[in-house]
Amino acid sequence: MDADAPLEWTTEESRAYTPADTDREMQYRTYLHESGDLRLKVAPASLDGEDHPGYTLTATSYPGLDLSETIRVRTVLTFERCERIAGEFMDLFSASYDGPGSLEDALDYAYERTRDHR
């Protein structure tokens, strides 16, 4: 178990880097659910083609498979805020997930409660 991830999740990758065009350090982190059915990514919005500052939380169902799908959950200004939202998402998903048959329902449940409701 990772200290910064809920029990059912592991940190797959975590790194900090400084892009060539700025002196501001950026961070990137991915989490994988113990089932292997869902991956969350907290990364600079610019990595996903966004043209503004901040961090984006994305969720990928069935990562590595042909039927995988990625959704953008939310974009916020700071890494710390995006990490908090990721933690909420992980808790909500884990509380609702009962196996591969319930992945879509658990994903929808967590998404609806953590997305931007503008």
Side-chain angles (χ1 to χ4, degrees):
M1 179 180 101
D2 293 14
D4 58 348
L7 182 62
E8 300 86 1
W9 295 82
T10 57
T11 302
E12 246 187 343
E13 184 177 352
S14 181
R15 65 185 179 102
Y17 64 96
T18 304
D21 60 347
T22 181
D23 58 355
R24 200 172 101 225
E25 183 178 80
M26 305 296 281
Q27 296 184 61
Y28 174 98
R29 189 167 295 154
T30 59
Y31 299 96
L32 185 65
H33 188 262
E34 66 185 0
S35 66
D37 292 339
L38 190 68
R39 173 180 293 130
L40 293 182
K41 178 175 75 172
V42 175
S46 59
L47 291 182
D48 288 329
E50 300 288 331
D51 192 26
H52 55 79
Y55 286 84
T56 299
L57 173 63
T58 58
T60 302
S61 58
Y62 305 111
L65 300 178
D66 288 342
L67 58 106
S68 73
E69 292 184 25
T70 300
I71 60 168
R72 183 174 59 85
V73 177
R74 193 144 169 208
T75 300
V76 295
L77 192 55
T78 66
F79 179 79
E80 292 76 18
R81 175 87 173 114
C82 203
E83 274 285 290
R84 284 194 304 275
I85 295 166
E88 291 172 29
F89 187 101
M90 287 185 265
D91 287 339
L92 290 164
F93 177 84
S94 295
S96 181
Y97 182 76
D98 286 329
S102 72
L103 179 96
E104 294 301 322
D105 291 339
L107 183 56
D108 288 345
Y109 177 76
Y111 172 76
E112 285 300 318
R113 283 154 183 80
T114 53
R115 71 182 177 93
D116 191 2
H117 292 282
R118 283 192 232 177

